[in-house]
Amino acid sequence: NADGTKVTFVTDALDVVFSGGTLGGLVVSTVDPTAVTPVTSAAYASVRPNGNPSTGLIDTEYAPAISADGNCIAFKSNQGVDLLAGNTGAAEGIYLWDNRGSSPVISLISKITTGQAATSATAPRITDDCSFIAYESNDEFISAADNNNKLDVFLYDVAEGTTQLISSNAAGDSADANSSLAALDYDPTTGLGVVMITSGASNIRGAAGGTADLDVFSVPFTAEIGGLTALSAPVRLLDTRGSGNKVGKT
């Protein structure tokens, strides 16, 4: 996290949380950087509703994302069925470990309002205050505007439980090429945030060119009490083609 006092990681080791354990998983550790033995405590974040560690696998391709205060962790589970009550969790999906209350709560965030899970969701990023989570997914049903059969970027509003397509053009049409999540930032004092994406989509950058090159785009958004209120049109920051702010072909 921001001050280095909390660390989250995925491990196969059985004795990180307590001696004689039987499962590894997603762990959150409290750290005192000034101590001779810096790790002061460790607890499972990938836990079932009864507090026992989940038997599911945590994705290690993309690291879990921890908020600045260490109270929230967004992570991908490859076998998350037992993370929700009654074993109703998605087999795969992005989950949120939220420790801002009296005890940690785990919820599935890569889903639509009916509860259907986006099982291809991956690469989560979380804002410092746990207000928003961005992720990538190939699933087509998350947004009505998503009909491109491509990898897209989505933004989840934690308070409202709503999801919005980010990799789209000014008209709201989904990108015509794969898009990836690069960064996420949000300032709760101003309500202003930004999602950074990379994409080869010609309908976002406003010029023909196929999908051979990747550009970097900034997608600003505004939030108020009640949730996300506005998305701005993507702004191209870096152009990997032969003109503009060239940074090299990808």
Side-chain angles (χ1 to χ4, degrees), residues 23-25 44-48 51-58 77 79-83 106:
L23 291 169
Y44 286 112
S46 53
V47 293
R48 290 179 272 183
N52 294 328
S54 169
T55 59
L57 299 176
I58 307 301
S77 178
Q79 294 178 5
V81 173
D82 63 355
L83 288 171
I106 290 183

Side-chain angles (χ1 to χ4, degrees), residues 150-230:
K150 303 292 183 181
L151 182 68
D152 284 298
V153 177
F154 298 89
L155 183 65
Y156 178 80
D157 185 323
V158 174
E160 296 298 310
T162 55
T163 304
Q164 189 148 352
L165 177 67
I166 293 297
S167 49
S168 61
N169 61 18
D173 301 321
S174 55
D176 60 12
N178 289 332
S179 303
S180 297
L181 174 62
L184 169 66
D185 195 19
Y186 171 66
D187 183 352
T189 63
T190 63
L192 301 178
V194 63
V195 185
M196 304 286 289
I197 67 172
T198 61
S199 182
S202 61
N203 66 333
I204 292 181
R205 64 190 182 199
T211 60
D213 301 319
L214 292 179
D215 295 334
V216 180
F217 296 91
S218 167
V219 185
F221 65 91
T222 303
E224 297 176 353
I225 295 174
L228 184 66
T229 58

Side-chain angles (χ1 to χ4, degrees), residues 9-227:
F9 57 92
V10 180
T11 180
D12 291 327
L14 307 181
D15 58 354
V16 173
V17 176
F18 52 84
S19 178
T22 59
L23 291 169
L26 178 65
V27 173
V28 57
S29 292
T30 302
V31 178
D32 181 356
T34 65
V36 176
T37 305
V39 178
T40 59
S41 67
Y44 286 112
S46 53
V47 293
R48 290 179 272 183
N50 63 8
N52 294 328
S54 169
T55 59
L57 299 176
I58 307 301
D59 182 68
T60 56
E61 182 179 0
Y62 295 95
I66 188 169
S67 61
D69 60 8
N71 286 330
C72 293
I73 302 171
F75 64 97
K76 167 72 179 286
S77 178
N78 292 330
Q79 294 178 5
V81 173
D82 63 355
L83 288 171
L84 302 184
N87 290 331
T88 57
E92 295 187 61
I94 303 293
Y95 288 84
L96 171 65
W97 178 83
D98 189 340
N99 195 27
R100 293 176 294 175
S102 58
S103 60
V105 176
I106 290 183
S107 57
L108 176 68
I109 64 101
S110 57
K111 63 178 182 179
I112 57 175
T113 53
T114 62
Q116 184 178 358
T119 56
S120 73
T122 191
R125 299 288 183 98
I126 192 168
T127 56
D128 287 349
D129 67 339
C130 197
S131 291
F132 296 95
I133 298 171
Y135 62 89
E136 303 170 2
S137 180
N138 280 315
D139 292 281
E140 291 292 296
F141 55 81
I142 302 175
S143 168
D146 182 15
N147 53 13
N148 57 0
N149 292 312
K150 303 292 183 181
L151 182 68
D152 284 298
V153 177
F154 298 89
L155 183 65
Y156 178 80
D157 185 323
V158 174
E160 296 298 310
T162 55
T163 304
Q164 189 148 352
L165 177 67
I166 293 297
S167 49
S168 61
N169 61 18
D173 301 321
S174 55
D176 60 12
N178 289 332
S179 303
S180 297
L181 174 62
L184 169 66
D185 195 19
Y186 171 66
D187 183 352
T189 63
T190 63
L192 301 178
V194 63
V195 185
M196 304 286 289
I197 67 172
T198 61
S199 182
S202 61
N203 66 333
I204 292 181
R205 64 190 182 199
T211 60
D213 301 319
L214 292 179
D215 295 334
V216 180
F217 296 91
S218 167
V219 185
F221 65 91
T222 303
E224 297 176 353
I225 295 174

